[in-house]
Amino acid sequence: MEKLSGEKNGADTKAADVLISVRNLHVRYAQREILHGINLEAHSGETVVILGGSGSGKSTLLRTMVGLEKPSGGEIWIAGKNLAVISAPDLKEIRKKMGMSFQGGALFGSMTVGENVALPLREHTKLEESTIEIMVRLKLEHVGLLGYESYMPSQLSGGMKKRAAVARALAMDPAILFFDEPSAGLDPIIAAGIDNLILQLKKAFHMTIIVVTHELASAFLIADRMILIDKGYVVAAGTPENMRDCTQPRVRQFLDRVAEPEVAGEMDYLQMLTEGTSNTEGTVEDKRGA
Amino acid sequence: MQIVARQLDQATTILDITGDINLTHSPEVRKALLRELRENLTPRVVLNLKGVNYIDSSGIASLVEGLKASRDGGSRLILFGLSPIAYEVLRLSKLVKLFEIYDTEEQALVAPQPVVEPHS
Amino acid sequence: MEIAAQIGDEVTSGLAYIGELAALGWRAAYFTFVGPFRGRPIRFRSAISQAMQVGVGALPILSLITFFIGLILALQSAYELRKFGALNYVAGAVALSMTRELGPLITAILVIGRSGSAFAAEIGTMRVTEEIDALETMAIDPVDFLVTPKFLAMIVMLPCLTIWANAMGILGGALFGVSAANFTWGRYLQASLDALYLRDITTGLIKSVMFGITITAVGCYEGLATGAGPEEVGRSTTRAVVISIFLVVMVDLVFTALFFFLGNG
């Protein structure tokens, strides 16, 4: 199985076409460590899917990659800069080259769809207002929402909101596009539409796309490479074919949608149910013996 | 990025553009285009994009503004020498049919004015 | 011992909180006063729409409340002054207590209820729906984008509202003076103005500016600190209101004492 990142350490991994390189990444919230040494690489123009169940840490990984969470250890190299130690002005410059589509869209409710898409352009460029307006319409055309400029986000359906959010993420012609759960909360047909959109964007703009999802069908459709994350560890990494052929139990379990095996034995289960309750006298074993 | 204006004859100006047209440089392209089309009222403005590898969406938007100005003023805006990437970006924005696009300068200069349907 | 340690902890965390507020205020001040010289224009449009909400929107209810407060003040002071046959001092008593204390304070408390809570709710909702995160990934500073216009609006509008509140309070007192104390409208207003020195008004206005800074800092801080989940928005809104009222009273105390000991009051 092809590993995305092996034991290569040193600057040689920063090859020309490696746009993103995550090395031995640790992230902790308060006392709890969420990610325990993640390695991930994305080449220019590649779509990498981060697969994982809920609570696996995949969203935390994505948030850390866009600089919303600070890593407690390891490195995140994006376009030659390490996000773990980056200065505020450098992070700002890097972020202008990244677009992020949030799970719920995260459109600004007080602005129209057009104003949402125009916001990064108005903030960061000195383009003429007429140019910006045409650009906004081009972006909305790319996501199939031309004509919706003056709608408020609350007037859009879930799928349209997500499309509008993609248009906003595309506003600055980013080199890297991040997607958090593109199909979550959408019906299958709308979700397939979003998958198609991702494929189109990849083909059209040669963008590097990082997608976090738990949807298998969608993942296999759009991915050039995937990594499977479980409980904060990378379980497997490789091409979709590699993944399909992988025999590792944890991978099979996730891909074949097997429910969590009942690892806890009867005794542990009884203990979990009764431990610390007010009537526990003696041990669980005692009770079973009685 | 550089823009050089060549006045071929009374009715034709060729703008040679070299370099990438991106967020920083597209305002210059826009200005040059609108100056030719709106102020100089040049009947035929030809854009040489042979030296342009990459056009971002602000560049495309500037071309669209130029196209609108040419239609409004009854003049022609012609593009030639698009790189495959630039052509692809135009195609994806569904703009290939709106612009007059040719491969070489000769073709661009001899091409007759196409019949434009009103409000196409 | 236990209690002493607990009090120590409370004081420390209280001071830390004030420190956080100061940091937020400082950043907003940076974007207001330093930013324009570094090529970031002030967000006037946003500040003006905030000012409309904070200021113009509060006028009707503020007028009503301060008018009645003025009337109540007149009644209360008349109760005592009547014994000395000094009813004509009612005008001065009302004018002084309005401009020096109640005008700024009542205005601040009303604005906390209307706008401080709204700031916390607005920013808190944006936190929950990942809009704040979206701003950050777009390389837009949320403090610059959201907090600075609110500071600007508050610092301008709160003194304006306070002046208006002072006037309405005096008008409320005049209603009593005219109907029960043999004043005419003109004589009552003249008596009020005679009792006031400019510093009575300016100390009140200085306080109102400080109140504005406090209310904005708390409202925005609580909004930004909102945790995950919609129910957290309600919680931070409540916290914003309670903490704002407390801190406004503290700021009031500090500045009143300051003016007193500086001999300015």
Side-chain angles (χ1 to χ4, degrees):
Chain A
M1 192 178 82
E2 181 200 300
K3 285 279 181 194
L4 286 187
S5 52
E7 285 68 50
K8 316 180 250 183
N9 43 8
D12 57 323
T13 46
K14 240 167 60 192
D17 68 329
V18 176
L19 201 54
I20 304 176
S21 170
V22 175
R23 295 183 209 162
N24 193 26
L25 179 71
H26 294 259
V27 177
R28 64 170 76 232
Y29 285 129
Q31 299 304 315
R32 219 156 63 86
E33 191 169 88
I34 311 284
L35 298 177
H36 323 279
I38 301 285
N39 288 298
L40 166 73
E41 250 174 38
H43 297 254
S44 193
E46 195 174 47
T47 303
V48 176
V49 171
I50 302 168
L51 264 178
S54 28
S56 59
K58 60 184 193 303
S59 288
T60 304
L61 174 57
L62 192 74
R63 290 176 60 83
T64 314
M65 284 167 78
V66 296
L68 288 173
E69 310 289 346
K70 271 273 166 212
S72 52
E75 300 167 1
I76 306 163
W77 290 90
I78 294 184
K81 290 267 183 342
N82 182 1
L83 256 56
V85 294
I86 200 168
S87 69
D90 281 351
L91 180 60
K92 197 174 162 177
E93 286 314 305
I94 289 257
R95 277 175 162 168
K96 288 182 192 172
K97 296 182 193 122
M98 311 193 307
M100 166 103 175
S101 157
F102 286 86
Q103 199 178 126
L107 296 169
F108 302 115
S110 57
M111 302 179 191
T112 64
V113 170
E115 286 166 349
N116 264 285
V117 180
L119 183 66
L121 296 167
R122 293 195 174 129
E123 288 290 321
H124 298 311
T125 72
K126 295 190 165 77
L127 296 171
E128 293 292 326
E129 191 54 28
S130 57
T131 312
I132 290 181
E133 275 168 33
I134 294 175
M135 285 174 77
V136 166
R137 290 178 200 189
L138 283 171
K139 304 293 173 189
L140 287 173
E141 156 65 27
H142 290 322
V143 300
L145 280 181
L146 186 58
Y148 285 90
E149 299 90 276
S150 54
Y151 280 59
M152 297 307 284
S154 56
Q155 294 172 291
L156 301 185
S157 69
M160 286 157 94
K161 268 190 200 134
K162 244 172 212 180
R163 285 171 176 275
V166 174
R168 187 178 67 185
L170 290 174
M172 297 279 288
D173 290 305
I176 312 168
L177 198 55
F178 294 91
F179 273 95
D180 191 9
E181 297 277 7
S183 46
L186 301 178
D187 69 55
I189 295 172
I190 309 280
I194 301 276
D195 288 344
N196 255 330
L197 177 62
I198 295 174
L199 285 174
Q200 269 177 26
L201 293 175
K202 176 191 161 186
K203 205 178 106 202
F205 302 105
H206 306 279
M207 258 182 249
T208 306
I209 303 178
I210 311 287
V211 182
V212 155
T213 188
H214 64 271
E215 296 280 338
L216 289 173
S218 153
F220 277 102
L221 186 69
I222 59 181
D224 294 319
R225 289 207 271 177
M226 8 174 72
I227 73 168
L228 176 62
I229 293 192
D230 187 42
K231 299 189 177 108
Y233 293 96
V234 176
V235 182
T239 63
E241 291 73 36
N242 292 155
M243 281 298 210
R244 248 188 225 108
D245 302 339
C246 185
T247 52
Q248 211 178 316
R250 201 72 189 86
V251 178
R252 292 273 38 109
Q253 188 202 335
F254 190 83
L255 296 190
D256 302 339
R257 299 163 182 264
V258 180
E260 195 68 36
E262 295 183 23
V263 277
E266 268 176 61
M267 283 224 312
D268 296 330
Y269 182 53
L270 184 59
Q271 183 142 18
M272 282 167 94
L273 286 180
T274 55
E275 196 179 53
T277 55
S278 45
N279 284 334
T280 5
E281 291 158 9
T283 64
V284 174
E285 282 79 0
D286 288 345
K287 283 191 171 174
R288 288 179 62 122
Chain B
M1 194 206 65
Q2 253 191 329
I3 307 175
V4 179
R6 277 189 283 146
Q7 194 163 8
L8 213 63
D9 54 52
Q10 282 287 310
T12 310
T13 302
I14 300 182
L15 296 175
D16 298 305
I17 304 180
T18 41
D20 286 357
I21 307 182
N22 53 27
L23 288 171
T24 331
H25 298 306
S26 62
E28 299 164 39
V29 175
R30 174 180 181 274
K31 236 171 88 185
L33 269 178
L34 295 185
R35 192 192 313 119
E36 284 304 325
L37 290 161
R38 285 210 184 125
E39 287 170 32
N40 302 352
L41 296 173
T42 313
R44 191 165 64 153
V45 177
V46 183
L47 222 51
N48 173 7
L49 297 172
K50 261 196 294 198
V52 177
N53 182 43
Y54 173 75
I55 303 186
D56 77 355
S57 54
S58 69
I60 302 284
S62 302
L63 294 185
V64 171
E65 275 190 273
L67 183 67
K68 177 83 172 92
S70 76
R71 296 270 170 101
D72 287 348
S75 48
R76 288 171 73 188
L77 175 64
I78 303 171
L79 315 180
F80 77 87
L82 274 76
S83 72
I85 297 178
Y87 187 83
E88 184 67 8
V89 175
L90 272 185
R91 200 182 60 77
L92 280 154
S93 310
K94 298 182 184 161
L95 290 167
V96 168
K97 283 195 183 120
L98 284 182
F99 283 101
E100 279 188 66
I101 302 175
Y102 300 99
D103 291 336
T104 64
E105 185 170 330
E106 291 70 40
Q107 288 173 356
L109 290 177
V110 297
Q113 180 159 17
V115 184
V116 179
E117 298 158 38
H119 298 286
S120 56
Chain C
M1 274 293 115
E2 192 84 329
I3 289 177
Q6 214 163 351
I7 291 173
D9 282 353
E10 288 293 321
V11 170
T12 321
S13 71
L15 287 178
Y17 187 86
I18 307 270
E20 306 256 10
L21 292 185
L24 185 65
W26 178 248
R27 279 178 70 197
Y30 171 86
F31 286 118
T32 312
F33 300 113
V34 185
F37 299 104
R38 301 215 174 149
R40 309 160 177 267
I42 303 181
R43 300 172 189 282
F44 275 117
R45 260 180 58 196
S46 178
I48 286 168
S49 92
Q50 291 289 340
M52 294 298 276
Q53 281 172 21
V54 170
V56 180
L59 272 184
I61 184 70
L62 181 70
S63 308
L64 207 61
I65 290 178
T66 46
F67 182 83
F68 288 136
I69 295 276
L71 185 54
I72 293 166
L73 273 179
L75 287 164
Q76 292 284 28
S77 44
Y79 172 76
E80 191 66 16
L81 289 170
R82 190 165 52 186
K83 294 179 192 165
F84 308 104
L87 271 184
N88 47 339
Y89 285 111
V90 164
V94 170
L96 280 175
S97 20
M98 275 316 288
T99 52
R100 293 178 62 91
E101 185 56 50
L102 283 171
L105 193 63
I106 298 286
T107 308
I109 287 175
L110 182 85
V111 168
I112 290 170
R114 284 189 81 254
S115 304
S117 59
F119 291 174
E122 179 197 332
I123 296 179
T125 307
M126 291 181 75
R127 173 61 85 193
V128 171
T129 56
E130 295 186 303
E131 285 169 52
I132 302 285
D133 292 336
L135 278 176
E136 287 195 24
T137 57
M138 279 187 254
I140 300 171
D141 191 312
V143 174
D144 177 23
F145 190 73
L146 293 170
V147 179
T148 307
K150 293 180 167 52
F151 264 107
L152 215 56
M154 241 357 172
I155 289 171
V156 173
M157 288 323 275
L158 214 58
C160 295
L161 285 175
T162 301
I163 292 172
W164 182 258
N166 292 342
M168 291 310 287
I170 289 171
L171 212 60
L175 179 63
F176 170 83
V178 169
S179 56
N182 295 324
F183 275 105
T184 63
W185 291 99
R187 260 189 55 227
Y188 186 93
L189 292 184
Q190 193 55 52
S192 299
L193 291 177
D194 287 346
L196 285 178
Y197 288 95
L198 186 62
R199 65 162 182 262
D200 295 323
I201 297 172
T202 50
T203 54
L205 292 185
I206 291 170
K207 282 202 284 191
S208 80
V209 170
M210 299 317 291
F211 293 165
I213 293 172
T214 309
I215 297 167
T216 321
V218 174
C220 295
Y221 178 81
E222 288 300 328
L224 288 171
T226 302
E231 69 281 357
E232 289 294 323
V233 177
R235 209 163 294 158
S236 47
T237 308
T238 309
R239 275 175 60 90
V241 170
V242 174
I243 294 172
S244 293
I245 292 179
F246 175 74
L247 284 181
V248 157
V249 171
M250 288 297 109
V251 169
D252 193 358
L253 175 63
V254 168
F255 274 81
T256 308
L258 210 62
F259 293 140
F260 179 80
F261 289 114
L262 288 178
N264 210 0

